[in-house]
């Protein structure tokens, strides 16, 4: 028996660059929001047939709403279509965004390692920007996210 061959993408969701960094974001990034934006974009750019071929394996495995890092799974046959749709996403909800691919891997283990490196560096940047306004709640949430990503499996 052969398992499904997947590709895992570590992506970064950048919200509107004109927003004030010290305030709350206008949208909370969730797996549902990211999946819907990708599916809508696949439908627009590749039609119903493209969406049907991609949707079977498309899954947002991990989302961190603090650092805006996501892990997305797609089948090996369809990952290029999903990748191109991800780069063409211009909004999640009504909030303008730009999504950048940080890493593309063939295994969840390699993806976890890449995501952990990105998470740690992004959280350090976040702490520098927020400074004294960093609450213990956010710090605890970030530790929970790091634990969650370490336990990520198929």
């Amino acid at each position: 028996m052969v398992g499904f061959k997947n590709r895992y993408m570590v992506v970064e969701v950048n919200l509107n660059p004109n927003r004030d960094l010290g305030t709350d974001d206008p949208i909370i990034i969730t797996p549902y929001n990211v999946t819907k934006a990708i599916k809508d974009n696949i439908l627009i750019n590749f039609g119903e047939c493209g969406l049907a071929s991609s949707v079977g394996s498309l899954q947002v495995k991990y989302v961190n709403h603090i650092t805006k890092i996501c892990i997305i799974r797609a089948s090996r046959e369809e990952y290029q279509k999903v990748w191109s749709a991800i780069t063409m996403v211009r909004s999640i909800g009504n909030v303008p965004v730009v999504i950048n691919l940080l890493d593309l891997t063939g295994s969840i283990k390699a993806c976890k390692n890449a995501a952990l490196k990105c998470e740690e560096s992004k959280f350090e940047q976040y702490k520098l920007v927020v400074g004294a306004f960093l609450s213990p709640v956010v710090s605890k949430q970030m530790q929970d996210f790091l634990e969650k990503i370490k336990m990520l499996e198929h």
Side-chain angles (χ1 to χ4, degrees), residues 59-86:
Q59 182 183 12
V60 177
K61 300 284 283 179
Y62 171 79
V63 172
N64 185 334
H65 67 273
I66 298 171
T67 60
K68 310 291 189 269
I69 299 289
C70 305
I71 295 176
I72 300 168
R73 182 189 74 186
S75 70
R76 187 169 62 178
E77 294 80 23
E78 299 294 326
Y79 83 93
Q80 291 174 330
K81 190 181 298 175
V82 173
W83 181 1
S84 64
I86 287 170

Side-chain angles (χ1 to χ4, degrees), residues 67-141:
T67 60
K68 310 291 189 269
I69 299 289
C70 305
I71 295 176
I72 300 168
R73 182 189 74 186
S75 70
R76 187 169 62 178
E77 294 80 23
E78 299 294 326
Y79 83 93
Q80 291 174 330
K81 190 181 298 175
V82 173
W83 181 1
S84 64
I86 287 170
T87 58
M88 290 185 277
V89 169
R90 292 293 168 241
S91 66
I92 295 178
N94 292 328
V95 178
V97 297
V98 176
I99 301 178
N100 296 324
L101 181 72
L102 300 176
D103 195 37
L104 174 69
T105 63
S107 71
I108 191 72
K109 188 173 186 176
C111 185
K112 285 189 329 188
N113 293 337
L116 279 172
K117 286 180 187 175
C118 293
E119 287 282 10
E120 290 167 354
S121 66
K122 291 280 287 183
F123 190 58
E124 289 300 319
Q125 288 176 343
Y126 181 79
K127 287 194 291 190
L128 289 174
V129 168
V130 175
F133 297 109
L134 182 66
S135 68
V137 173
V138 172
S139 185
K140 172 73 169 114
Q141 284 179 340

Side-chain angles (χ1 to χ4, degrees), residues 47-63:
E48 290 179 1
C49 186
L51 179 62
S53 65
S54 301
V55 77
S57 65
L58 178 65
Q59 182 183 12
V60 177
K61 300 284 283 179
Y62 171 79
V63 172

Side-chain angles (χ1 to χ4, degrees), residues 27-36 60 62-63 65 70 92:
I27 188 170
I28 294 178
I29 305 297
T30 64
Y32 175 78
N33 292 342
V34 175
T35 303
K36 182 171 179 356
V60 177
Y62 171 79
V63 172
H65 67 273
C70 305
I92 295 178

Side-chain angles (χ1 to χ4, degrees), residues 14-26 95-98:
N14 295 312
L15 298 177
N16 184 0
N18 297 326
R19 66 179 165 65
D20 183 19
L21 293 175
T23 62
D24 290 337
D25 291 324
V95 178
V97 297
V98 176

